[in-house]
Amino acid sequence: LGANDWPLILTASGTGAMEAAFLNAVSPGSSIAVFHAGRYGERWMDFARAHQIHTYEITAPYGHTFDLEEVKQLLTRAVSLKAVFFQDSESSTGTRHRTQELVALIQRHQPQALIVVDAMTGLGVHPLSIQSGIDVLITGSQKSMGIHPGLSLLGLSERYLNQLHELHLPRVYFDLRKEFEAQQKQVTAWTPAIGLMGALGTSLDRIHGLGGAQVLQANANLLANSLRAALDHWGIPLFSKYPGDSVTAFMLPEAGAFIQRLKEEENLVVASGQGVLEGQILRIGHLGFISANDMAATITGIERTFLKIGASYPHGALAKAQSFLDQAPRL
């Protein structure tokens, strides 16, 4: 995360961490900006509407990212933004946003604005750090750290910590002032998920033993490229025009039924789309401790299911993916 202080650990889902970051950054009567292009990014708008916060909004079609000229124009005309919120990786569509370019534009045109980035599926996959000008980086225990869901982590900049004493939106459980003060004493403000805390320590030890987060980043990139080589062999385009390395999304006819067959017949669990994309796309992750063997089994299982249903996709996708899988680290 790159924070100077140990990141805050909350017993909460990723959405809980997003709401905590929002409530502790926004003041009544202030203005914010939200950039969103998928189901997860839309949650920032849910928070803004719930608290009736004046919001400048930029959207992009699902599978696309934001037009930087449009972002620049919005930041130029907006009046004294308190904060800007967006995702690094929109995993509902398999899209990576241009985080560092967005950060640079915000710093140039709205230097006082806090920059809050949901990196649930970006951290440990793409190079991200508080030191690059981001004020809040959010991730969760079930993503790159590979344990059960239930913990979320927030890396916070000095600037974000220093403004916590200001007037903000009402909050109790998600009052990060209390949480920061408690965790400075090596306790938590509220009852923690002790079992998950222990698992988190074990996971971090494992990542350190592998050589650090850069090993996970390299692994995710190689697995993403291996799956995309297989998709290219089958002639299946990616859903996203700006794909990231955490999730690959692609469309298939009757995707929901295909996903069910993978689960029942191949013991493979992959995700469908959300909202309007439910039953239309498959989403396959390659972050955290997913291995080359896992990806090889996934590609093989998909191709075997194509054969079972009589789909006319060419055989031999694993051979196309193998050069990437051979380079992947042993996890």
Side-chain angles (χ1 to χ4, degrees), residues 1-14:
L1 287 162
N4 290 330
D5 284 294
W6 187 256
L8 290 188
I9 304 174
L10 302 181
T11 297
S13 68

PDB file of all heavy atoms in Angstrom, residues 1-14:
ATOM      1  N   LEU A   1       0.814  -1.214   0.000  1.00  0.00           N
ATOM      2  CA  LEU A   1       0.000   0.000   0.000  1.00  0.00           C
ATOM      3  C   LEU A   1       0.853   1.271   0.000  1.00  0.00           C
ATOM      4  O   LEU A   1       0.424   2.305  -0.482  1.00  0.00           O
ATOM      5  CB  LEU A   1      -0.928  -0.001   1.220  1.00  0.00           C
ATOM      6  CG  LEU A   1      -2.103  -0.995   1.158  1.00  0.00           C
ATOM      7  CD1 LEU A   1      -2.671  -1.233   2.547  1.00  0.00           C
ATOM      8  CD2 LEU A   1      -3.191  -0.496   0.230  1.00  0.00           C
ATOM      9  N   GLY A   2       2.035   1.190   0.563  1.00  0.00           N
ATOM     10  CA  GLY A   2       2.939   2.333   0.525  1.00  0.00           C
ATOM     11  C   GLY A   2       2.650   3.409   1.543  1.00  0.00           C
ATOM     12  O   GLY A   2       3.219   4.498   1.479  1.00  0.00           O
ATOM     13  N   ALA A   3       1.766   3.149   2.501  1.00  0.00           N
ATOM     14  CA  ALA A   3       1.435   4.156   3.508  1.00  0.00           C
ATOM     15  C   ALA A   3       2.553   4.257   4.542  1.00  0.00           C
ATOM     16  O   ALA A   3       3.230   3.273   4.846  1.00  0.00           O
ATOM     17  CB  ALA A   3       0.119   3.803   4.190  1.00  0.00           C
ATOM     18  N   ASN A   4       2.741   5.463   5.108  1.00  0.00           N
ATOM     19  CA  ASN A   4       3.761   5.640   6.139  1.00  0.00           C
ATOM     20  C   ASN A   4       3.378   4.914   7.418  1.00  0.00           C
ATOM     21  O   ASN A   4       4.221   4.345   8.105  1.00  0.00           O
ATOM     22  CB  ASN A   4       3.972   7.127   6.417  1.00  0.00           C
ATOM     23  CG  ASN A   4       4.645   7.843   5.255  1.00  0.00           C
ATOM     24  OD1 ASN A   4       5.424   7.235   4.526  1.00  0.00           O
ATOM     25  ND2 ASN A   4       4.339   9.112   5.068  1.00  0.00           N
ATOM     26  N   ASP A   5       2.099   4.959   7.770  1.00  0.00           N
ATOM     27  CA  ASP A   5       1.603   4.221   8.924  1.00  0.00           C
ATOM     28  C   ASP A   5       1.064   2.873   8.465  1.00  0.00           C
ATOM     29  O   ASP A   5       0.718   2.685   7.301  1.00  0.00           O
ATOM     30  CB  ASP A   5       0.482   5.006   9.626  1.00  0.00           C
ATOM     31  CG  ASP A   5       1.028   6.153  10.451  1.00  0.00           C
ATOM     32  OD1 ASP A   5       1.719   5.872  11.439  1.00  0.00           O
ATOM     33  OD2 ASP A   5       0.762   7.317  10.104  1.00  0.00           O
ATOM     34  N   TRP A   6       0.987   1.924   9.400  1.00  0.00           N
ATOM     35  CA  TRP A   6       0.370   0.638   9.106  1.00  0.00           C
ATOM     36  C   TRP A   6      -1.059   0.882   8.631  1.00  0.00           C
ATOM     37  O   TRP A   6      -1.776   1.694   9.206  1.00  0.00           O
ATOM     38  CB  TRP A   6       0.372  -0.227  10.367  1.00  0.00           C
ATOM     39  CG  TRP A   6      -0.090  -1.630  10.120  1.00  0.00           C
ATOM     40  CD1 TRP A   6      -1.308  -2.150  10.443  1.00  0.00           C
ATOM     41  CD2 TRP A   6       0.632  -2.674   9.490  1.00  0.00           C
ATOM     42  NE1 TRP A   6      -1.388  -3.461  10.047  1.00  0.00           N
ATOM     43  CE2 TRP A   6      -0.204  -3.819   9.458  1.00  0.00           C
ATOM     44  CE3 TRP A   6       1.907  -2.775   8.931  1.00  0.00           C
ATOM     45  CZ2 TRP A   6       0.191  -5.032   8.900  1.00  0.00           C
ATOM     46  CZ3 TRP A   6       2.292  -3.985   8.381  1.00  0.00           C
ATOM     47  CH2 TRP A   6       1.447  -5.091   8.376  1.00  0.00           C
ATOM     48  N   PRO A   7      -1.508   0.213   7.570  1.00  0.00           N
ATOM     49  CA  PRO A   7      -2.863   0.462   7.077  1.00  0.00           C
ATOM     50  C   PRO A   7      -3.921   0.086   8.106  1.00  0.00           C
ATOM     51  O   PRO A   7      -3.706  -0.799   8.939  1.00  0.00           O
ATOM     52  CB  PRO A   7      -2.959  -0.436   5.837  1.00  0.00           C
ATOM     53  CG  PRO A   7      -1.918  -1.482   6.037  1.00  0.00           C
ATOM     54  CD  PRO A   7      -0.808  -0.819   6.784  1.00  0.00           C
ATOM     55  N   LEU A   8      -5.045   0.764   8.041  1.00  0.00           N
ATOM     56  CA  LEU A   8      -6.161   0.405   8.909  1.00  0.00           C
ATOM     57  C   LEU A   8      -6.779  -0.893   8.418  1.00  0.00           C
ATOM     58  O   LEU A   8      -6.984  -1.087   7.218  1.00  0.00           O
ATOM     59  CB  LEU A   8      -7.219   1.504   8.907  1.00  0.00           C
ATOM     60  CG  LEU A   8      -6.853   2.820   9.590  1.00  0.00           C
ATOM     61  CD1 LEU A   8      -8.081   3.722   9.656  1.00  0.00           C
ATOM     62  CD2 LEU A   8      -6.298   2.588  10.986  1.00  0.00           C
ATOM     63  N   ILE A   9      -7.086  -1.780   9.354  1.00  0.00           N
ATOM     64  CA  ILE A   9      -7.732  -3.051   9.036  1.00  0.00           C
ATOM     65  C   ILE A   9      -9.130  -3.013   9.640  1.00  0.00           C
ATOM     66  O   ILE A   9      -9.287  -2.849  10.853  1.00  0.00           O
ATOM     67  CB  ILE A   9      -6.938  -4.245   9.605  1.00  0.00           C
ATOM     68  CG1 ILE A   9      -5.496  -4.209   9.103  1.00  0.00           C
ATOM     69  CG2 ILE A   9      -7.607  -5.556   9.218  1.00  0.00           C
ATOM     70  CD1 ILE A   9      -4.604  -5.275   9.721  1.00  0.00           C
ATOM     71  N   LEU A  10     -10.138  -3.142   8.799  1.00  0.00           N
ATOM     72  CA  LEU A  10     -11.526  -3.120   9.248  1.00  0.00           C
ATOM     73  C   LEU A  10     -12.142  -4.504   9.102  1.00  0.00           C
ATOM     74  O   LEU A  10     -11.880  -5.203   8.124  1.00  0.00           O
ATOM     75  CB  LEU A  10     -12.355  -2.135   8.418  1.00  0.00           C
ATOM     76  CG  LEU A  10     -11.913  -0.675   8.380  1.00  0.00           C
ATOM     77  CD1 LEU A  10     -12.894   0.131   7.525  1.00  0.00           C
ATOM     78  CD2 LEU A  10     -11.821  -0.090   9.781  1.00  0.00           C
ATOM     79  N   THR A  11     -12.962  -4.884  10.070  1.00  0.00           N
ATOM     80  CA  THR A  11     -13.792  -6.071   9.901  1.00  0.00           C
ATOM     81  C   THR A  11     -15.019  -5.634   9.109  1.00  0.00           C
ATOM     82  O   THR A  11     -16.006  -5.142   9.659  1.00  0.00           O
ATOM     83  CB  THR A  11     -14.174  -6.675  11.258  1.00  0.00           C
ATOM     84  OG1 THR A  11     -12.972  -7.096  11.923  1.00  0.00           O
ATOM     85  CG2 THR A  11     -15.083  -7.878  11.084  1.00  0.00           C
ATOM     86  N   ALA A  12     -14.904  -5.744   7.798  1.00  0.00           N
ATOM     87  CA  ALA A  12     -15.947  -5.251   6.889  1.00  0.00           C
ATOM     88  C   ALA A  12     -15.632  -5.741   5.488  1.00  0.00           C
ATOM     89  O   ALA A  12     -14.496  -6.095   5.173  1.00  0.00           O
ATOM     90  CB  ALA A  12     -16.000  -3.719   6.896  1.00  0.00           C
ATOM     91  N   SER A  13     -16.644  -5.742   4.653  1.00  0.00           N
ATOM     92  CA  SER A  13     -16.446  -6.049   3.238  1.00  0.00           C
ATOM     93  C   SER A  13     -15.752  -4.881   2.550  1.00  0.00           C
ATOM     94  O   SER A  13     -15.566  -3.807   3.135  1.00  0.00           O
ATOM     95  CB  SER A  13     -17.799  -6.292   2.571  1.00  0.00           C
ATOM     96  OG  SER A  13     -18.531  -5.074   2.538  1.00  0.00           O
ATOM     97  N   GLY A  14     -15.404  -5.078   1.296  1.00  0.00           N
ATOM     98  CA  GLY A  14     -14.817  -3.992   0.530  1.00  0.00           C
ATOM     99  C   GLY A  14     -15.750  -2.802   0.405  1.00  0.00           C
ATOM    100  O   GLY A  14     -15.315  -1.644   0.442  1.00  0.00           O
TER     101      GLY A  14
END
